[in-house]
Amino acid sequence: MNKFEVLGLGDAIIKAVNDMGFESPSEVQEKAIPILLNEDTDIVALAQTGTGKTAAFGFPLIEKIDSSSRITQGLILSPTRELCLQITNELKNYSKFIPGLHTVAIYGGASITDQAKQIKRGAQIIVATPGRMQDMINRKLVDISNIGYCVLDEADEMLNMGFYEDINSILSHTPDEKSTWLFSATMPKEVSTIAKRFMHNPVEITVGHKNTGSKNVSHEYYVVNSRDRYAALKRLADANPDIFSVIFCRTKRDTQKVAENLIEDGYNAAALHGDLSQNQRDLVMKSFRNRQIQMLVATDVAARGIDVDDVTHVINYQLPDEIETYTHRSGRTGRAGKSGVSMVIVSKSEVRKIKSVERIIKKSFEKKEIPSGEEICQVQLFHLANDIRKSEINHEIDSYLPSINEVLEEFSKEELIKKFFSVEFSRFHNYYKKSRDLNAVNEGGGNYDNNGSTRYFINVGEKDGFDWMTLKDFLKDALGIGSDSLSRVDVKESFSFFNTNTEHQELVLGIFEDFKMEGRKVNVEISKDSGRRGGRRRRDGDGGFKGKRRSDGFKPRGKKRFDNKDDRGDGGNRRRDRDRRKRSDRR
Ligand code: ADP
Ligand code: MG
């Protein structure tokens, strides 16, 4: 028996579940579905974002609906238009093998007449934002006087957004005998108030700790001087070439500005905030979903609707005013069982706030260092090599090959590789070679004694199954040294960095001179960027700032970085390319 059948779901939904590829129920689904199927009860279910709450209420709701009747039987209230549409789509998917079941979305910013028409045709389930729902009730375009089920999804968010009055008034139009199902990531006082006020002896289920973030998310902070915030952001992006991220700013103005700067600097970025029209926001979200945008810069309010899986990084460009908001921000990554990283850029005076956040999320942060230019160059170089290895050959080129071969005839494979990498990479290297250390100097002496420490590069990484803890263990074993002597273990996709006390340098190089892991040679080299602030770093260049950098034609970041031709062709082409790219980035 399929694991969903055990929960008591019928054939039509099981078929849809198989189609969607869900293999086993998530915890909240496992807990909520049997209760909701078997009992007519109110429920309060607390589970973090990305834990599958939609199906937890969606499956039982669909089972309970009588699809032969056209009466509206279920109402789902959700905070934003985005979510509203997403829930509607999900429900349509779940019920695709149930003929006659109709789910209609009701939200602001679109024609109310069209929505009314859809309702009139018969909608057993309505998914609505509170504002528009209220509006339609006032105009008597909907009838919810017979519903049996009312779902309050993301109740905390709805209350955050000031929908209390609307919810209150909407519920007054529903029958007393209905069941109310409340789903929320967090349980602030306001949510308990709603529960007390509108629900009768609700069953309460909790998945994970109340108020904590997803366990798949790791939390990091970086201390920089305030004026280096933007430069630090770019370094973080450059050190993670496959980044797919949401960047949070405090104000609309900062959001707009950071996004504009990123676009100027050649990143695939866009802004999402309340001053954009609904249409503009929809376009931005569409490009983000399609991965045309890698860095979405957003305000907290605008980001509430973002429910995109696979976000690799959340970057807190600034900490939120309300520390509680951090949970919502970091919940944008680590969804659907994937892991994610939430990074916070802070100035020295804000470091103490990290402690408050830790208390709320009940997890600790790791203090990390903004990567140096040297480190980023290494990351990018290997990323490029891996991209080349993975890319499929385009046979359109075949007909030109003979003449291309002629041009390159005199070079060996080694020479060709060197030349190819030089073409693609020099820009990057030139940009970063004069970069300075962006980490704010820790006056208290800090945890890092970087004098007397050596940094190494090692050619194993995540794809070999390592994370920083397992790599540290591996190194401890291989070298036979204590973990005190190992620091700053930083694991990337296909390689990593670590530090040891300089006294161990010979040992390290000796052991890894001829070291094999599962038949493969493990290679360790001293990273050129061996100190942190030990005086060997150049502090003169400004590396991190735009403007200066743009004069050398370098476009850091963005998928197109290595395949655009702007550094190879003539200046005219270069400008045209760049303009074209800018235009399309802004769209
Ligand atoms: P939440 O509402 O808790 O934030 P969602 O309901 O939006 O989470 O689900 C997050 C993602 O996980 C969605 O892409 C959804 O399709 C997927 N998902 C939900 N349940 C399962 C499951 N049992 N197995 C695999 N994926 C699931
Ligand atoms: Mg949800």
Side-chain angles (χ1 to χ4, degrees):
M1 205 151 134
N2 170 305
K3 286 181 186 146
F4 283 92
E5 280 172 73
V6 177
L7 301 180
L9 295 167
D11 292 346
I13 288 191
I14 295 293
K15 223 168 128 191
V17 164
N18 289 336
D19 263 21
M20 289 182 296
F22 291 7
E23 279 167 12
S24 53
S26 68
E27 197 179 339
V28 65
Q29 292 164 3
E30 208 156 32
K31 286 186 170 162
I33 293 172
I35 298 177
L36 297 178
L37 283 179
N38 299 321
E39 297 169 40
D40 270 327
T41 177
D42 286 354
I43 194 170
V44 172
L46 299 180
Q48 292 113 38
T49 36
T51 52
K53 293 192 287 296
T54 318
F57 63 76
F59 290 171
L61 181 63
I62 289 168
E63 291 283 4
K64 298 265 181 175
I65 297 291
D66 174 4
S67 57
S68 64
S69 155
R70 287 168 32 129
I71 292 176
T72 299
Q73 302 157 48
L75 170 66
I76 300 167
L77 292 177
S78 105
T80 63
R81 163 196 169 113
E82 271 279 324
L83 278 172
C84 192
L85 286 168
Q86 239 165 54
I87 296 168
T88 309
N89 277 336
E90 291 260 319
L91 291 189
K92 284 186 172 162
N93 253 334
Y94 305 163
S95 63
K96 67 178 170 188
F97 298 112
I98 304 178
L101 200 156
H102 301 291
T103 303
V104 170
I106 300 286
Y107 50 84
S111 156
I112 197 164
T113 350
D114 286 352
Q115 292 174 356
K117 267 190 214 146
Q118 290 185 54
I119 300 276
K120 218 162 167 200
R121 266 183 247 135
Q124 293 95 343
I125 302 177
I126 293 178
V127 187
T129 51
R132 173 57 64 98
M133 189 64 200
Q134 183 62 55
D135 211 3
M136 295 195 71
I137 293 174
N138 293 345
R139 301 200 206 179
K140 303 208 170 5
L141 297 172
V142 284
D143 176 9
I144 51 171
S145 62
N146 288 305
I147 62 169
Y149 306 91
C150 179
V151 181
L152 304 173
D153 189 28
E154 311 254 356
D156 52 351
E157 299 273 11
M158 284 201 283
L159 295 170
N160 266 339
M161 294 174 76
F163 283 132
Y164 182 83
E165 286 309 320
D166 284 310
I167 294 173
N168 204 344
S169 141
I170 291 166
L171 291 181
S172 72
H173 293 269
T174 62
D176 284 341
E177 315 78 66
K178 69 175 182 305
S179 301
T180 305
W181 302 348
L182 184 152
F183 283 75
S184 186
T186 60
M187 185 79 175
K189 262 207 314 292
E190 295 78 4
V191 176
S192 341
T193 313
I194 286 245
K196 282 205 196 86
R197 168 113 204 249
F198 298 108
M199 302 170 79
H200 310 288
N201 299 326
V203 177
E204 204 179 300
I205 62 174
T206 306
V207 170
H209 291 291
K210 287 180 191 179
N211 282 330
T212 56
S214 159
K215 61 171 178 292
N216 299 324
V217 179
S218 54
H219 304 265
E220 304 174 347
Y221 72 98
Y222 297 82
V223 187
V224 303
N225 294 319
S226 292
R227 67 185 142 83
D228 288 335
R229 241 176 239 279
Y230 179 69
L233 172 66
K234 288 180 36 166
R235 294 248 187 122
L236 292 175
D238 287 345
N240 294 283
D242 286 322
I243 195 165
F244 180 54
S245 61
V246 185
I247 295 150
F248 286 96
C249 298
R250 250 194 305 247
T251 63
K252 288 184 224 172
R253 216 170 128 246
D254 287 346
T255 304
Q256 183 65 29
K257 203 154 158 259
V258 168
E260 274 172 16
N261 287 346
L262 287 171
I263 293 166
E264 285 267 299
D265 288 344
Y267 295 76
N268 300 318
L272 188 74
H273 55 69
D275 285 350
L276 303 176
S277 70
Q278 188 62 56
N279 206 17
Q280 287 170 314
R281 273 190 279 174
D282 287 348
L283 283 177
V284 168
M285 281 311 296
K286 191 162 167 238
S287 323
F288 187 55
R289 274 181 219 293
N290 299 336
R291 304 285 197 277
Q292 282 149 324
I293 291 170
Q294 278 183 290
M295 303 174 80
L296 180 67
V297 192
T299 56
D300 288 300
V301 174
R304 285 208 171 115
I306 302 176
D307 236 356
V308 177
D309 295 342
D310 301 328
V311 167
T312 59
H313 294 76
V314 162
I315 303 182
N316 294 263
Y317 186 76
Q318 296 141 336
L319 273 174
D321 286 325
E322 306 246 341
I323 293 296
E324 286 76 14
T325 307
Y326 181 83
T327 315
H328 294 298
R329 288 184 173 188
S330 56
R332 301 299 150 208
T333 184
R335 297 175 60 80
K338 309 242 170 59
S339 63
V341 183
S342 174
M343 302 172 152
V344 184
I345 304 176
V346 287
S347 64
K348 269 186 286 177
S349 62
E350 294 170 314
V351 172
R352 64 191 165 77
K353 289 195 188 159
I354 294 287
K355 285 274 166 289
S356 323
V357 179
E358 284 179 333
R359 271 196 297 278
I360 286 174
I361 63 172
K362 297 196 176 65
K363 286 186 79 175
S364 41
F365 273 78
E366 195 190 340
K367 180 180 190 289
K368 301 259 283 195
E369 307 259 318
I370 297 288
S372 65
E374 198 70 49
E375 231 168 284
I376 289 170
C377 285
Q378 268 162 334
V379 170
Q380 291 286 346
L381 201 48
F382 273 80
H383 184 71
L384 175 59
N386 272 320
D387 266 2
I388 293 170
R389 193 170 54 88
K390 282 186 282 192
S391 60
E392 306 230 338
I393 289 173
N394 177 353
H395 288 286
E396 304 278 306
I397 305 166
D398 289 357
S399 56
Y400 306 102
L401 272 186
S403 21
I404 293 175
N405 279 334
E406 222 167 275
V407 178
L408 301 173
E409 200 169 42
E410 64 193 282
F411 302 113
S412 70
K413 176 184 165 191
E414 270 73 42
E415 284 169 325
L416 277 176
I417 291 177
K418 280 185 196 161
K419 277 185 176 287
F420 176 76
F421 273 78
S422 306
V423 168
E424 292 291 354
F425 195 65
S426 297
R427 265 177 320 156
F428 217 97
H429 189 257
N430 289 341
Y431 167 58
Y432 268 119
K433 75 179 172 201
K434 285 201 186 133
S435 62
R436 69 201 160 85
D437 187 355
L438 292 183
N439 296 290
V441 179
N442 194 340
E443 270 124 27
N447 308 322
Y448 303 100
D449 172 16
N450 295 305
N451 299 323
S453 183
T454 303
R455 190 145 179 82
Y456 308 85
F457 163 90
I458 181 166
N459 67 339
V460 296
E462 278 162 11
K463 73 172 176 29
D464 306 291
F466 285 110
D467 60 22
W468 69 271
M469 278 182 289
T470 51
L471 184 63
K472 195 165 177 176
D473 288 342
F474 165 78
L475 292 168
K476 250 172 24 192
D477 288 348
L479 300 169
I481 59 178
S483 60
D484 294 352
S485 317
L486 281 162
S487 59
R488 297 185 58 217
V489 179
D490 204 355
V491 179
K492 309 284 183 197
E493 191 192 340
S494 54
F495 58 92
S496 312
F497 299 97
F498 64 95
N499 278 37
T500 72
N501 298 346
T502 301
E503 60 186 75
H504 294 312
Q505 190 169 307
E506 256 172 65
L507 171 81
V508 176
L509 296 178
I511 285 186
F512 284 108
E513 197 169 55
D514 187 23
F515 191 102
K516 291 215 167 99
M517 190 182 72
E518 284 157 19
R520 194 180 124 203
K521 178 149 173 36
V522 176
N523 182 28
V524 170
E525 285 160 30
I526 293 184
S527 166
K528 285 200 200 112
D529 162 48
S530 52
R532 294 237 48 90
R533 311 156 187 126
R536 291 182 52 202
R537 304 293 304 280
R538 271 170 292 216
R539 290 167 166 276
D540 43 347
D542 96 352
F545 295 101
K546 75 187 193 85
K548 182 164 189 175
R549 144 137 27 77
R550 283 199 295 137
S551 60
D552 61 17
F554 173 56
K555 290 278 173 186
R557 261 233 68 58
K559 282 205 166 37
K560 295 169 194 135
R561 183 179 313 130
F562 288 113
D563 48 49
N564 68 43
K565 299 181 177 56
D566 55 2
D567 275 320
R568 279 173 264 159
D570 60 278
N573 269 336
R574 183 191 306 176
R575 184 144 314 123
R576 269 200 306 280
D577 267 6
R578 186 185 304 162
D579 288 349
R580 197 178 321 129
R581 195 168 48 246
K582 266 195 197 166
R583 272 200 306 279
S584 66
D585 280 343
R586 286 210 171 109
R587 234 178 268 141

